[in-house]
Amino acid sequence: MNRTVEKSDRLGEEYSVTRLPSGLRLWFLPKRGFAKKVAVLGVEFGSVHEAFTTAGSGEVRRVPAGTAHFLEHRVFETDRGDAFDLFERLGAGSNAATGHTNTTFFFTCTENFYPALEILLGFTEKIIVDEEMVEREKKIIIQEILGYQDSPDWQGFTGVLQGLYRTHPVRLDISGTVESVSEIGADTLRLCHGAFYHPSNVDLYVSGDLDEQELLEFVLRAHSAERGGGKAEPVPHAEAPGAAAKYAAKYMDVPKPRIFIGFKELFGPLDGEGLMKRNLSTSILLYSMFGGSSDFYIGNYRTGLIDSSFSASFRGEAEFAYTVISAETDEPARLRDAVLGRIASARGEGVPEKDLARARRRLKGRFLRNWNSPESAAFSLMFYAQKGASPFAFERILDSMAPEDIARRIDDHFDFANNCSFVVES
Amino acid sequence: MAVGPAAGDSTSFEHIGLGGGVNLHLRRTGRFKSVLVEAVISEDLSDEASMTALLPAVLRRGTAAFADLQEIARHLDNLYGASFSADVMKVGERLMPYFRIDFPTPALAGADGDLLGDCVDFLAEVMFRPRLEGGVFLKEFVEGEKTNLVSQIKGLVTDQDHYTAQKCIEMMCRGERFAQYEYGTVEDAEAITPESLHAYYSRLLETRPVDVYVVGDVDPESLSRLMRKSFPERKYSPVPLRETEFIAAPSYEKTFYEEMQIEQARLAIGFRTGVRYNDPALPALLFFNGIFGGFAFSKLFKTVREKEGLAYFAGSQIERSKGIMLATTGIDASSFGRVMDLVRGILDSMRAGEVSREEMDSARARLMSRFNSISDSQTAVINMHLEGMVNGSFMEIGELLESIGKVSAEDVAGVARGVRLDTAYLLRPARKAGGGGGAA
C-alpha cells in the first residue's frame, strides 16, 4: 500500500492518502476536538460520461442522458434496506449529488462512525435493482426534473451550456430529460454500476477526530475483496470551435429578465498542476474584472444595470472549461454589450496589476476557511483531488504565478467566437 | 462589568457588557481557521419590515471613512478576503438586522497590521458611522437599494418552493405579525425616503440592544478594548420588545389555491404545533417533527416519495419561536387530494401512538448528533444563543441532550394530539392555452 502524507505548517493541518489493494484511495485529514465526523465517497461518474468502454471488452456503450443521476438515486437501495434509513438509525445524516464529472455520497455523524462508513462503502460493492424499482424511481425523478424546469437559474445555466457546446455532453442536463430518463432500464444501471463504481474509480475522503490506523484497518476489512475487472474508460470528447448559438432565449414567467453570458475554452491536455494553475489564474482574472470591488461591478451597480445577483464564475475540468457571467437585469442586451466591451478592453489593455494583487490576497485568506471544519475539510480535499492536484499546493501555485500568467488568460480564455448569451425573460 | 461565562455547556459564551446596551458574547476557541464576528440589533417584526430590511442594505453602501461600495470592497479584499454581509433575519416575531464579518485568524493569515482591530472597527463603522448628506442617508444609496429590495420581493415568485411556503404563512397567520414577509411589501418599500429611513435608524439605535457575537481565537481583553474603542457611546433608552404571539390551535382549517405558469405544483401545509420554545414538551416536538417529516426516514418522506412516488421532495420543519410547523412538497396538481389524505393519515396515526421503536431510536440518534455537534460550527453556536435571546430563556445543551434522552413514544403521541392542521396552500400550473398534454 502506498501512503503519502502532506503537511502545511501554515494551516497547521496534515492529511494522508493511501492507495488500498482494491484500488480505492483513502484520504484522511484529522480534526481533533470536533464532535462531527464526515466521510465522502467520490465516484468518477458524471453526466458527461455518456459513452465508455467497459474494462476488457473494448466495446463502446452509450447510455441515455441522466443515467449517472438515476444511478445515484438507486444506489441508496441496499440489501439491508434504504440507506437513508440505515444512516439515520445511526444518527448520521446523509446526502448525494451528481455533477458533470462526478457523483458524491456523504454522511456526517457524531457517533457510530464505522457502522455508517460500512454502509457508505457498500455503495461501491453492489446494486440492487429491478425493473419495478426503476419504474417507481422514474416517477420521482420526473418530479425532480419538473421542479428544475420551474427554476429560471437552472434553465439559464443549462441553456447557456447548450448554446456554447455543439457536441460535448457537458451540454446535457445533469438529471436528463423526461424523455431520456424514460429510456433508462435496470440493465443500464447495472452496467454503469459495474463500470464506474469500481474501487479504482472511487475515492474516500474522511475527516474528524479519528485514529488513522483504526480507520485504515476498518476500510481494509470492509473493503478487502479485490474486485475483478477494472474501471471503464470514458470515450473522450472533442469539441469543435465556435459556439452552437450566439444568442438563445427561453420564455418563463419571471418578473425580471436574467442573462447568462458564457465562454467556452478549447485546449490541449493538462496535468493536475496545470489544471489548478488555470483555475486559479482564471479566478483571479475574473474577480479583478467583474468581482465586487471591480470598476465594472461598482459602476453598473450604481446605475442599477445589475444588482447583487451578478456573478462571474469559471469551471475548469480536464476536458472542458467555461465561464458563465450572469445577472438579473432589466436590460439584458445592454448588460451583454457592457460585459463584452469590458472583455474587449481587457484584451487590448490588460488588467491593472494592483487589482490582480488584491484579488490574490483575497483568495489566499479565503483558502484558509476551507479547513474550518471536518465537513469543509473533506469536501476541500475532494475538490483538489478531483482536479488531480495536491490540496495544499494551492498557496505555492498561487505564489508562483506571475502577473503575465494571469494576463495571458484574457486572450486564451475569452474568444468571442466561443461566446453565447442566453436570456430568460417573460 | 464582566458577567462571566454561563455555566457548563459546550456552546457557552463569555458575556461582557460594554454599556449602552451593547453586549459582547465571546466564544474563544482555537479550532477554526477564521474568526466570525456578528452584530445583531434586536427589533420587532412589524409592518415596518421593509424599513428594517432596507436599513442594512443602505448602511453597507458607504460610510464616513469608506465613501462607496468600491472603497468598502477593496478594504475587505485587503483584509485577506474578509467576507462581510448585512441583512435581516426573522426569528419568531423579531426581524433583526445583522452585520457579519468573517476573516482569517490573524496568526494563520500571516497578517501585517491589526486584522482583528480592523475588522471590528469596520463592523462598527458600517453600523454607526454611515455616510450622510444633509443629516440623512444619501438619496442615491436609498433609491438604489429600494429598487433592489423591490425586485427581491417581486422575485420571490421565481423560487416557487419558498414562495408557496411564504404564502401559506401569510394566509395562516393573517392578523399576526408573523404573516409579514421578512423583506416587507413593494408598497412599503417604495414609500421609504432618506429622511424616514434615517429617522427609523436613529430610533433603532436609541432604543434597541446590540448583541455582538465573536467566535474564534481571540483574546477577551484585547477584544473588549478594541470594541470600546470602535463602538461609540450612544444615547440609549431601551423600549421593551414585544413577545411573539402564540396561538395554540386554529379556529378552522383553510385551503387556498393559486395558479402560475409553472410545470410542477407546490404544496405547503401549515400546522399549529401547540408547543413553543419554552415549553417543557419542546424535546418531544423535535421528535414529532423528525418522525412526521423532518428526517429522511420520516413518515411523510417514506409515504409520499418512496411508497407512492408522488414527489421528489417532501418534508417538514418547525419554527420553534412561533410554534408552527410547515410541510412542503412538489407534486403533480392532480395528486393534491391524495397527498392531503396521506398527511392527515400520518398525523392521525401519530396521535394514536403509531410510532415504532425504530423511529424513536433514529430520531433520538439524529437529534443527539445534531445538538452534540453545535459547537463545531461558528454560526450554529451563535444561532442557538440568538434563539434563546428571542425567547427570553437559554437552552443549555447538556440539559437538552438529557431531555432528548428521556422522550418516550407516549410523549410524542401527546404532542401529536396537540398539532392542528391550519392552512394548505396549493400553487398549481395554470392551464396552458391550446392543450397539448403535459409531461408524463
Side-chain angles (χ1 to χ4, degrees), chain A residues 353-381:
Chain A
E353 247 179 67
K354 65 174 185 353
D355 290 354
L356 296 176
R358 231 187 22 253
R360 202 191 285 242
R361 182 167 162 128
R362 170 179 179 273
L363 210 55
K364 219 168 174 168
R366 297 241 161 154
F367 176 72
L368 283 169
R369 220 177 292 155
N370 291 342
W371 312 97
N372 245 352
S373 67
E375 267 161 306
S376 55
F379 280 97
S380 298
L381 281 180

PDB file of all heavy atoms in Angstrom, chain A residues 353-381:
ATOM      1  N   GLU A 353      -2.204  45.649 -12.500  1.00  0.00           N
ATOM      2  CA  GLU A 353      -1.536  44.701 -11.611  1.00  0.00           C
ATOM      3  C   GLU A 353      -1.986  44.821 -10.164  1.00  0.00           C
ATOM      4  O   GLU A 353      -2.055  43.837  -9.442  1.00  0.00           O
ATOM      5  CB  GLU A 353      -0.019  44.889 -11.709  1.00  0.00           C
ATOM      6  CG  GLU A 353       0.651  43.690 -12.329  1.00  0.00           C
ATOM      7  CD  GLU A 353       2.141  43.854 -12.460  1.00  0.00           C
ATOM      8  OE1 GLU A 353       2.819  43.900 -11.408  1.00  0.00           O
ATOM      9  OE2 GLU A 353       2.631  43.951 -13.609  1.00  0.00           O
ATOM     10  N   LYS A 354      -2.336  46.030  -9.752  1.00  0.00           N
ATOM     11  CA  LYS A 354      -2.746  46.184  -8.353  1.00  0.00           C
ATOM     12  C   LYS A 354      -4.096  45.497  -8.101  1.00  0.00           C
ATOM     13  O   LYS A 354      -4.344  44.984  -7.012  1.00  0.00           O
ATOM     14  CB  LYS A 354      -2.777  47.658  -7.931  1.00  0.00           C
ATOM     15  CG  LYS A 354      -3.785  48.527  -8.625  1.00  0.00           C
ATOM     16  CD  LYS A 354      -3.775  49.902  -7.969  1.00  0.00           C
ATOM     17  CE  LYS A 354      -4.841  50.885  -8.470  1.00  0.00           C
ATOM     18  NZ  LYS A 354      -5.662  50.559  -9.594  1.00  0.00           N
ATOM     19  N   ASP A 355      -4.940  45.433  -9.136  1.00  0.00           N
ATOM     20  CA  ASP A 355      -6.201  44.705  -8.994  1.00  0.00           C
ATOM     21  C   ASP A 355      -5.943  43.208  -8.859  1.00  0.00           C
ATOM     22  O   ASP A 355      -6.586  42.518  -8.070  1.00  0.00           O
ATOM     23  CB  ASP A 355      -7.114  44.948 -10.207  1.00  0.00           C
ATOM     24  CG  ASP A 355      -7.649  46.378 -10.231  1.00  0.00           C
ATOM     25  OD1 ASP A 355      -7.400  47.119  -9.250  1.00  0.00           O
ATOM     26  OD2 ASP A 355      -8.297  46.756 -11.224  1.00  0.00           O
ATOM     27  N   LEU A 356      -4.988  42.732  -9.643  1.00  0.00           N
ATOM     28  CA  LEU A 356      -4.643  41.310  -9.567  1.00  0.00           C
ATOM     29  C   LEU A 356      -4.066  40.976  -8.194  1.00  0.00           C
ATOM     30  O   LEU A 356      -4.376  39.941  -7.599  1.00  0.00           O
ATOM     31  CB  LEU A 356      -3.635  40.933 -10.661  1.00  0.00           C
ATOM     32  CG  LEU A 356      -4.115  41.075 -12.114  1.00  0.00           C
ATOM     33  CD1 LEU A 356      -2.983  40.756 -13.081  1.00  0.00           C
ATOM     34  CD2 LEU A 356      -5.315  40.178 -12.386  1.00  0.00           C
ATOM     35  N   ALA A 357      -3.234  41.870  -7.677  1.00  0.00           N
ATOM     36  CA  ALA A 357      -2.600  41.631  -6.375  1.00  0.00           C
ATOM     37  C   ALA A 357      -3.649  41.561  -5.277  1.00  0.00           C
ATOM     38  O   ALA A 357      -3.573  40.715  -4.375  1.00  0.00           O
ATOM     39  CB  ALA A 357      -1.590  42.740  -6.081  1.00  0.00           C
ATOM     40  N   ARG A 358      -4.641  42.432  -5.359  1.00  0.00           N
ATOM     41  CA  ARG A 358      -5.702  42.429  -4.343  1.00  0.00           C
ATOM     42  C   ARG A 358      -6.515  41.135  -4.414  1.00  0.00           C
ATOM     43  O   ARG A 358      -6.849  40.531  -3.408  1.00  0.00           O
ATOM     44  CB  ARG A 358      -6.601  43.640  -4.548  1.00  0.00           C
ATOM     45  CG  ARG A 358      -6.803  44.445  -3.295  1.00  0.00           C
ATOM     46  CD  ARG A 358      -7.814  45.560  -3.426  1.00  0.00           C
ATOM     47  NE  ARG A 358      -8.738  45.371  -4.500  1.00  0.00           N
ATOM     48  CZ  ARG A 358      -8.725  46.050  -5.642  1.00  0.00           C
ATOM     49  NH1 ARG A 358      -7.833  46.994  -5.825  1.00  0.00           N
ATOM     50  NH2 ARG A 358      -9.619  45.804  -6.576  1.00  0.00           N
ATOM     51  N   ALA A 359      -6.820  40.734  -5.637  1.00  0.00           N
ATOM     52  CA  ALA A 359      -7.597  39.503  -5.823  1.00  0.00           C
ATOM     53  C   ALA A 359      -6.832  38.302  -5.271  1.00  0.00           C
ATOM     54  O   ALA A 359      -7.401  37.397  -4.670  1.00  0.00           O
ATOM     55  CB  ALA A 359      -7.911  39.298  -7.298  1.00  0.00           C
ATOM     56  N   ARG A 360      -5.521  38.318  -5.468  1.00  0.00           N
ATOM     57  CA  ARG A 360      -4.681  37.230  -4.995  1.00  0.00           C
ATOM     58  C   ARG A 360      -4.668  37.173  -3.455  1.00  0.00           C
ATOM     59  O   ARG A 360      -4.789  36.107  -2.862  1.00  0.00           O
ATOM     60  CB  ARG A 360      -3.261  37.492  -5.500  1.00  0.00           C
ATOM     61  CG  ARG A 360      -2.386  36.281  -5.574  1.00  0.00           C
ATOM     62  CD  ARG A 360      -0.973  36.700  -5.816  1.00  0.00           C
ATOM     63  NE  ARG A 360      -0.714  37.129  -7.181  1.00  0.00           N
ATOM     64  CZ  ARG A 360       0.151  36.503  -7.988  1.00  0.00           C
ATOM     65  NH1 ARG A 360       0.768  35.438  -7.563  1.00  0.00           N
ATOM     66  NH2 ARG A 360       0.397  36.956  -9.185  1.00  0.00           N
ATOM     67  N   ARG A 361      -4.543  38.321  -2.831  1.00  0.00           N
ATOM     68  CA  ARG A 361      -4.527  38.383  -1.367  1.00  0.00           C
ATOM     69  C   ARG A 361      -5.858  37.878  -0.792  1.00  0.00           C
ATOM     70  O   ARG A 361      -5.904  37.146   0.199  1.00  0.00           O
ATOM     71  CB  ARG A 361      -4.294  39.844  -0.962  1.00  0.00           C
ATOM     72  CG  ARG A 361      -4.198  40.078   0.528  1.00  0.00           C
ATOM     73  CD  ARG A 361      -3.655  41.491   0.738  1.00  0.00           C
ATOM     74  NE  ARG A 361      -3.893  41.983   2.066  1.00  0.00           N
ATOM     75  CZ  ARG A 361      -2.924  42.493   2.837  1.00  0.00           C
ATOM     76  NH1 ARG A 361      -1.680  42.541   2.404  1.00  0.00           N
ATOM     77  NH2 ARG A 361      -3.210  42.945   4.033  1.00  0.00           N
ATOM     78  N   ARG A 362      -6.943  38.257  -1.455  1.00  0.00           N
ATOM     79  CA  ARG A 362      -8.268  37.837  -1.023  1.00  0.00           C
ATOM     80  C   ARG A 362      -8.404  36.321  -1.100  1.00  0.00           C
ATOM     81  O   ARG A 362      -8.865  35.671  -0.152  1.00  0.00           O
ATOM     82  CB  ARG A 362      -9.300  38.506  -1.930  1.00  0.00           C
ATOM     83  CG  ARG A 362     -10.707  38.003  -1.788  1.00  0.00           C
ATOM     84  CD  ARG A 362     -11.622  38.769  -2.734  1.00  0.00           C
ATOM     85  NE  ARG A 362     -12.980  38.303  -2.638  1.00  0.00           N
ATOM     86  CZ  ARG A 362     -13.467  37.290  -3.347  1.00  0.00           C
ATOM     87  NH1 ARG A 362     -12.701  36.652  -4.199  1.00  0.00           N
ATOM     88  NH2 ARG A 362     -14.722  36.936  -3.201  1.00  0.00           N
ATOM     89  N   LEU A 363      -7.987  35.770  -2.220  1.00  0.00           N
ATOM     90  CA  LEU A 363      -8.098  34.329  -2.436  1.00  0.00           C
ATOM     91  C   LEU A 363      -7.312  33.548  -1.378  1.00  0.00           C
ATOM     92  O   LEU A 363      -7.730  32.504  -0.894  1.00  0.00           O
ATOM     93  CB  LEU A 363      -7.566  34.006  -3.838  1.00  0.00           C
ATOM     94  CG  LEU A 363      -8.170  32.818  -4.562  1.00  0.00           C
ATOM     95  CD1 LEU A 363      -9.676  32.949  -4.656  1.00  0.00           C
ATOM     96  CD2 LEU A 363      -7.570  32.712  -5.963  1.00  0.00           C
ATOM     97  N   LYS A 364      -6.159  34.078  -1.016  1.00  0.00           N
ATOM     98  CA  LYS A 364      -5.303  33.443  -0.039  1.00  0.00           C
ATOM     99  C   LYS A 364      -5.989  33.344   1.327  1.00  0.00           C
ATOM    100  O   LYS A 364      -5.962  32.311   1.983  1.00  0.00           O
ATOM    101  CB  LYS A 364      -4.028  34.281   0.105  1.00  0.00           C
ATOM    102  CG  LYS A 364      -2.794  33.485   0.270  1.00  0.00           C
ATOM    103  CD  LYS A 364      -1.588  34.392   0.094  1.00  0.00           C
ATOM    104  CE  LYS A 364      -0.342  33.629   0.397  1.00  0.00           C
ATOM    105  NZ  LYS A 364       0.856  34.339  -0.018  1.00  0.00           N
ATOM    106  N   GLY A 365      -6.618  34.449   1.736  1.00  0.00           N
ATOM    107  CA  GLY A 365      -7.348  34.455   3.006  1.00  0.00           C
ATOM    108  C   GLY A 365      -8.522  33.493   2.965  1.00  0.00           C
ATOM    109  O   GLY A 365      -8.800  32.766   3.909  1.00  0.00           O
ATOM    110  N   ARG A 366      -9.212  33.476   1.827  1.00  0.00           N
ATOM    111  CA  ARG A 366     -10.403  32.630   1.720  1.00  0.00           C
ATOM    112  C   ARG A 366     -10.056  31.148   1.739  1.00  0.00           C
ATOM    113  O   ARG A 366     -10.854  30.325   2.172  1.00  0.00           O
ATOM    114  CB  ARG A 366     -11.153  32.964   0.433  1.00  0.00           C
ATOM    115  CG  ARG A 366     -11.658  34.388   0.435  1.00  0.00           C
ATOM    116  CD  ARG A 366     -13.144  34.433   0.330  1.00  0.00           C
ATOM    117  NE  ARG A 366     -13.623  35.724   0.784  1.00  0.00           N
ATOM    118  CZ  ARG A 366     -14.754  36.270   0.387  1.00  0.00           C
ATOM    119  NH1 ARG A 366     -15.492  35.656  -0.495  1.00  0.00           N
ATOM    120  NH2 ARG A 366     -15.138  37.436   0.865  1.00  0.00           N
ATOM    121  N   PHE A 367      -8.863  30.831   1.221  1.00  0.00           N
ATOM    122  CA  PHE A 367      -8.436  29.430   1.176  1.00  0.00           C
ATOM    123  C   PHE A 367      -8.396  28.828   2.585  1.00  0.00           C
ATOM    124  O   PHE A 367      -8.740  27.666   2.786  1.00  0.00           O
ATOM    125  CB  PHE A 367      -7.058  29.337   0.508  1.00  0.00           C
ATOM    126  CG  PHE A 367      -6.484  27.953   0.501  1.00  0.00           C
ATOM    127  CD1 PHE A 367      -7.016  26.973  -0.331  1.00  0.00           C
ATOM    128  CD2 PHE A 367      -5.420  27.612   1.318  1.00  0.00           C
ATOM    129  CE1 PHE A 367      -6.493  25.692  -0.350  1.00  0.00           C
ATOM    130  CE2 PHE A 367      -4.891  26.331   1.304  1.00  0.00           C
ATOM    131  CZ  PHE A 367      -5.427  25.372   0.468  1.00  0.00           C
ATOM    132  N   LEU A 368      -7.993  29.637   3.564  1.00  0.00           N
ATOM    133  CA  LEU A 368      -7.897  29.164   4.945  1.00  0.00           C
ATOM    134  C   LEU A 368      -9.218  28.590   5.439  1.00  0.00           C
ATOM    135  O   LEU A 368      -9.258  27.611   6.171  1.00  0.00           O
ATOM    136  CB  LEU A 368      -7.496  30.327   5.860  1.00  0.00           C
ATOM    137  CG  LEU A 368      -6.033  30.745   5.841  1.00  0.00           C
ATOM    138  CD1 LEU A 368      -5.880  32.071   6.576  1.00  0.00           C
ATOM    139  CD2 LEU A 368      -5.181  29.679   6.504  1.00  0.00           C
ATOM    140  N   ARG A 369     -10.294  29.263   5.031  1.00  0.00           N
ATOM    141  CA  ARG A 369     -11.613  28.877   5.532  1.00  0.00           C
ATOM    142  C   ARG A 369     -12.022  27.471   5.081  1.00  0.00           C
ATOM    143  O   ARG A 369     -12.894  26.858   5.679  1.00  0.00           O
ATOM    144  CB  ARG A 369     -12.634  29.905   5.056  1.00  0.00           C
ATOM    145  CG  ARG A 369     -13.642  30.237   6.103  1.00  0.00           C
ATOM    146  CD  ARG A 369     -14.579  31.315   5.621  1.00  0.00           C
ATOM    147  NE  ARG A 369     -13.909  32.594   5.470  1.00  0.00           N
ATOM    148  CZ  ARG A 369     -14.325  33.547   4.647  1.00  0.00           C
ATOM    149  NH1 ARG A 369     -15.368  33.373   3.890  1.00  0.00           N
ATOM    150  NH2 ARG A 369     -13.679  34.694   4.579  1.00  0.00           N
ATOM    151  N   ASN A 370     -11.393  26.989   3.989  1.00  0.00           N
ATOM    152  CA  ASN A 370     -11.711  25.636   3.517  1.00  0.00           C
ATOM    153  C   ASN A 370     -11.443  24.576   4.567  1.00  0.00           C
ATOM    154  O   ASN A 370     -11.918  23.456   4.446  1.00  0.00           O
ATOM    155  CB  ASN A 370     -10.849  25.279   2.299  1.00  0.00           C
ATOM    156  CG  ASN A 370     -11.218  26.089   1.082  1.00  0.00           C
ATOM    157  OD1 ASN A 370     -12.294  26.654   1.027  1.00  0.00           O
ATOM    158  ND2 ASN A 370     -10.319  26.147   0.117  1.00  0.00           N
ATOM    159  N   TRP A 371     -10.632  24.909   5.548  1.00  0.00           N
ATOM    160  CA  TRP A 371     -10.181  23.885   6.501  1.00  0.00           C
ATOM    161  C   TRP A 371     -10.779  24.130   7.874  1.00  0.00           C
ATOM    162  O   TRP A 371     -10.269  23.687   8.890  1.00  0.00           O
ATOM    163  CB  TRP A 371      -8.641  23.869   6.533  1.00  0.00           C
ATOM    164  CG  TRP A 371      -8.128  23.834   5.127  1.00  0.00           C
ATOM    165  CD1 TRP A 371      -7.703  24.911   4.389  1.00  0.00           C
ATOM    166  CD2 TRP A 371      -8.085  22.710   4.251  1.00  0.00           C
ATOM    167  NE1 TRP A 371      -7.401  24.507   3.107  1.00  0.00           N
ATOM    168  CE2 TRP A 371      -7.623  23.155   2.994  1.00  0.00           C
ATOM    169  CE3 TRP A 371      -8.404  21.361   4.399  1.00  0.00           C
ATOM    170  CZ2 TRP A 371      -7.471  22.306   1.897  1.00  0.00           C
ATOM    171  CZ3 TRP A 371      -8.243  20.518   3.313  1.00  0.00           C
ATOM    172  CH2 TRP A 371      -7.779  20.993   2.076  1.00  0.00           C
ATOM    173  N   ASN A 372     -11.915  24.830   7.927  1.00  0.00           N
ATOM    174  CA  ASN A 372     -12.540  25.231   9.179  1.00  0.00           C
ATOM    175  C   ASN A 372     -13.201  24.107   9.963  1.00  0.00           C
ATOM    176  O   ASN A 372     -13.336  24.206  11.169  1.00  0.00           O
ATOM    177  CB  ASN A 372     -13.611  26.293   8.887  1.00  0.00           C
ATOM    178  CG  ASN A 372     -13.259  27.626   9.501  1.00  0.00           C
ATOM    179  OD1 ASN A 372     -12.297  27.733  10.255  1.00  0.00           O
ATOM    180  ND2 ASN A 372     -14.026  28.643   9.203  1.00  0.00           N
ATOM    181  N   SER A 373     -13.674  23.092   9.284  1.00  0.00           N
ATOM    182  CA  SER A 373     -14.442  22.045   9.967  1.00  0.00           C
ATOM    183  C   SER A 373     -14.214  20.725   9.238  1.00  0.00           C
ATOM    184  O   SER A 373     -13.737  20.718   8.108  1.00  0.00           O
ATOM    185  CB  SER A 373     -15.932  22.389   9.927  1.00  0.00           C
ATOM    186  OG  SER A 373     -16.401  22.320   8.599  1.00  0.00           O
ATOM    187  N   PRO A 374     -14.565  19.603   9.888  1.00  0.00           N
ATOM    188  CA  PRO A 374     -14.408  18.317   9.203  1.00  0.00           C
ATOM    189  C   PRO A 374     -15.140  18.292   7.857  1.00  0.00           C
ATOM    190  O   PRO A 374     -14.621  17.773   6.877  1.00  0.00           O
ATOM    191  CB  PRO A 374     -15.028  17.323  10.187  1.00  0.00           C
ATOM    192  CG  PRO A 374     -14.879  17.972  11.525  1.00  0.00           C
ATOM    193  CD  PRO A 374     -15.020  19.447  11.278  1.00  0.00           C
ATOM    194  N   GLU A 375     -16.345  18.880   7.813  1.00  0.00           N
ATOM    195  CA  GLU A 375     -17.097  18.871   6.558  1.00  0.00           C
ATOM    196  C   GLU A 375     -16.380  19.637   5.457  1.00  0.00           C
ATOM    197  O   GLU A 375     -16.196  19.143   4.347  1.00  0.00           O
ATOM    198  CB  GLU A 375     -18.453  19.549   6.751  1.00  0.00           C
ATOM    199  CG  GLU A 375     -19.554  18.609   7.109  1.00  0.00           C
ATOM    200  CD  GLU A 375     -20.707  19.369   7.722  1.00  0.00           C
ATOM    201  OE1 GLU A 375     -20.480  20.119   8.703  1.00  0.00           O
ATOM    202  OE2 GLU A 375     -21.834  19.221   7.222  1.00  0.00           O
ATOM    203  N   SER A 376     -15.996  20.882   5.782  1.00  0.00           N
ATOM    204  CA  SER A 376     -15.379  21.663   4.717  1.00  0.00           C
ATOM    205  C   SER A 376     -14.022  21.075   4.339  1.00  0.00           C
ATOM    206  O   SER A 376     -13.628  21.120   3.176  1.00  0.00           O
ATOM    207  CB  SER A 376     -15.275  23.142   5.103  1.00  0.00           C
ATOM    208  OG  SER A 376     -14.598  23.296   6.309  1.00  0.00           O
ATOM    209  N   ALA A 377     -13.320  20.466   5.319  1.00  0.00           N
ATOM    210  CA  ALA A 377     -12.027  19.877   5.000  1.00  0.00           C
ATOM    211  C   ALA A 377     -12.181  18.683   4.057  1.00  0.00           C
ATOM    212  O   ALA A 377     -11.459  18.560   3.064  1.00  0.00           O
ATOM    213  CB  ALA A 377     -11.312  19.452   6.284  1.00  0.00           C
ATOM    214  N   ALA A 378     -13.150  17.810   4.347  1.00  0.00           N
ATOM    215  CA  ALA A 378     -13.332  16.624   3.500  1.00  0.00           C
ATOM    216  C   ALA A 378     -13.712  17.035   2.079  1.00  0.00           C
ATOM    217  O   ALA A 378     -13.197  16.496   1.101  1.00  0.00           O
ATOM    218  CB  ALA A 378     -14.404  15.708   4.098  1.00  0.00           C
ATOM    219  N   PHE A 379     -14.597  18.010   1.964  1.00  0.00           N
ATOM    220  CA  PHE A 379     -15.006  18.447   0.620  1.00  0.00           C
ATOM    221  C   PHE A 379     -13.891  19.205  -0.096  1.00  0.00           C
ATOM    222  O   PHE A 379     -13.785  19.133  -1.321  1.00  0.00           O
ATOM    223  CB  PHE A 379     -16.299  19.277   0.687  1.00  0.00           C
ATOM    224  CG  PHE A 379     -17.532  18.413   0.801  1.00  0.00           C
ATOM    225  CD1 PHE A 379     -18.112  18.151   2.029  1.00  0.00           C
ATOM    226  CD2 PHE A 379     -18.085  17.818  -0.327  1.00  0.00           C
ATOM    227  CE1 PHE A 379     -19.228  17.326   2.146  1.00  0.00           C
ATOM    228  CE2 PHE A 379     -19.204  16.990  -0.232  1.00  0.00           C
ATOM    229  CZ  PHE A 379     -19.771  16.744   1.008  1.00  0.00           C
ATOM    230  N   SER A 380     -13.063  19.914   0.661  1.00  0.00           N
ATOM    231  CA  SER A 380     -11.941  20.605   0.021  1.00  0.00           C
ATOM    232  C   SER A 380     -10.919  19.607  -0.501  1.00  0.00           C
ATOM    233  O   SER A 380     -10.397  19.760  -1.604  1.00  0.00           O
ATOM    234  CB  SER A 380     -11.262  21.563   0.997  1.00  0.00           C
ATOM    235  OG  SER A 380     -12.174  22.554   1.399  1.00  0.00           O
ATOM    236  N   LEU A 381     -10.632  18.575   0.309  1.00  0.00           N
ATOM    237  CA  LEU A 381      -9.727  17.524  -0.167  1.00  0.00           C
ATOM    238  C   LEU A 381     -10.237  16.980  -1.495  1.00  0.00           C
ATOM    239  O   LEU A 381      -9.502  16.831  -2.462  1.00  0.00           O
ATOM    240  CB  LEU A 381      -9.671  16.362   0.826  1.00  0.00           C
ATOM    241  CG  LEU A 381      -8.822  16.490   2.078  1.00  0.00           C
ATOM    242  CD1 LEU A 381      -8.947  15.205   2.901  1.00  0.00           C
ATOM    243  CD2 LEU A 381      -7.359  16.753   1.741  1.00  0.00           C
TER     244      LEU A 381
END
